């Protein structure tokens, strides 16, 4: 409930202030996600440091521009401060920002497999497939490209290593549920570091084919943590 001045009696925040902060956060997010650099001042102070040596591709699964905006609105409303994400967007650091469209090839709702594959191979993919096109096309994922170019590569995830999201950068399967096959491909590709869950897809006792992939990794001098 609000009084005649538009003040929320419980929180002491006026509707006008809330709507103002909502508009500001939307304006802050919009143009920065669409591209460009930081302010002219930071451009002038930027010093060329040479070519980048490493790439860290961080994926917050399920996060869109709308998620960022709603999280910022909520934090402003309840804590009176902006989120770290928008603080970074508005900082004076010199970096490039862009908006990427990861839409599924066959559905208005994009699943993890289609989204991660579009990042991983640069092509739109049907929901449920991992770097495999609708006619069986096998697209090379980015980790394999870097590995074959002599770069060190890895996967670090809070879910199963064989889940569709990390697999989108490293494997090819027509069905994201083929996690035993994804694990086999990891052994074949021999990426330098793989940290995550999903032991059942690597252990002989749990795999349908009975293959002991853990032993296979040990034979390639991996340290199993």
């Amino acid at each position: 409930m609000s009084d005649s001045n538009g003040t929320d009696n419980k929180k002491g925040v006026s509707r006008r202030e809330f709507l103002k902060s909502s508009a500001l956060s939307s304006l802050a997010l919009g143009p920065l996600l669409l591209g460009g650099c930081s302010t002219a001042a930071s451009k002038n102070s930027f010093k060329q440091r040479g070519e980048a040596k490493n790439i860290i591709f961080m994926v917050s699964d399920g996060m869109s521009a709308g998620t960022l905006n709603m999280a910022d609105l909520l934090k402003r409303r309840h804590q009176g401060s902006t989120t770290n994400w928008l603080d970074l967007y508005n900082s004076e650091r010199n970096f490039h920002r862009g908006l990427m469209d990861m839409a599924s090839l066959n559905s208005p709702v994009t699943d993890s497999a289609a989204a991660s594959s579009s990042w991983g191979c640069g092509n739109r993919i049907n929901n449920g497939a991992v770097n495999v096109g609708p006619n069986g096309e096998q697209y090379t994922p980015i980790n394999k490209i870097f590995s074959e170019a002599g770069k060190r590569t890895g996967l670090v995830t809070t879910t199963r290593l064989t889940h569709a999201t990390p697999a989108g950068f490293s494997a090819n399967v027509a069905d994201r549920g083929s996690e035993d096959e994804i694990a086999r491909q990891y052994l074949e590709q021999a990426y330098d570091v793989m940290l995550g869950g999903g032991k059942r897809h690597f252990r002989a006792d749990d795999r349908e084919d009975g293959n002991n992939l853990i032993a296979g990794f040990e034979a390639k001098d991996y340290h199993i943590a």
Side-chain angles (χ1 to χ4, degrees):
M1 297 295 292
S2 302
D3 60 23
S4 58
N5 293 321
T7 300
D8 184 322
N9 293 324
K10 183 178 181 182
K11 295 292 184 181
V13 178
S14 71
R15 287 175 296 182
R16 186 178 297 107
E17 290 172 347
F18 177 69
L19 291 172
K20 180 180 178 182
S21 68
S22 302
L24 287 174
S25 62
S26 297
L27 288 171
L29 184 61
L32 294 175
L33 278 175
L34 290 174
C37 296
S38 51
T39 63
S42 64
K43 284 184 181 179
N44 295 334
S45 62
F46 177 71
K47 294 181 180 180
Q48 182 65 36
R49 298 181 181 179
E51 295 183 358
K53 295 181 179 180
N54 304 293
I55 297 173
I56 299 174
F57 201 117
M58 188 180 75
V59 176
S60 298
D61 198 6
M63 189 181 74
S64 65
T67 308
L68 283 171
N69 198 28
M70 289 300 294
D72 192 69
L73 292 175
L74 185 67
K75 193 168 186 231
R76 285 173 182 267
R77 176 71 174 85
H78 290 282
Q79 299 180 21
S81 60
T82 59
T83 59
N84 291 333
W85 281 101
L86 282 186
D87 285 343
L88 178 62
Y89 281 128
N90 293 322
S91 74
E92 293 298 311
R93 293 178 58 189
N94 188 291
F95 53 84
H96 296 280
R97 312 171 183 89
L99 180 66
M100 301 177 73
D101 178 6
M102 320 317 300
S104 166
L105 183 63
N106 69 337
S107 172
V109 178
T110 305
D111 79 338
S112 297
S116 63
S117 294
S118 61
W119 277 319
C121 72
N123 292 274
R124 293 201 191 280
I125 301 292
N126 286 351
N127 278 0
V130 177
N131 295 316
V132 175
N135 298 312
E137 304 92 336
Q138 297 276 323
Y139 298 115
T140 305
I142 192 169
N143 258 5
K144 186 176 181 181
I145 292 172
F146 280 126
S147 182
E148 291 178 347
K151 306 292 185 181
R152 293 182 181 273
T153 54
L155 293 172
V156 179
T157 179
T158 57
T159 183
R160 301 183 304 283
L161 278 165
T162 51
H163 185 274
T165 299
F169 297 87
S170 308
N172 299 82
V173 289
D175 180 1
R176 60 179 291 177
S178 303
E179 295 189 48
D180 282 2
E181 170 59 16
I182 292 170
R184 188 200 65 77
Q185 290 184 26
Y186 289 162
L187 176 60
E188 179 181 292
Q189 296 302 330
Y191 300 116
D192 295 284
V193 175
M194 285 171 278
L195 298 175
K199 183 185 290 185
R200 66 180 180 269
H201 298 293
F202 296 83
R203 295 187 350 169
D205 292 343
D206 297 317
R207 290 177 53 88
E208 291 185 2
D209 60 12
N211 288 336
N212 187 348
L213 299 190
I214 292 178
F217 279 102
E218 289 176 335
K220 291 188 175 185
D221 294 328
Y222 280 80
H223 171 71
I224 308 300

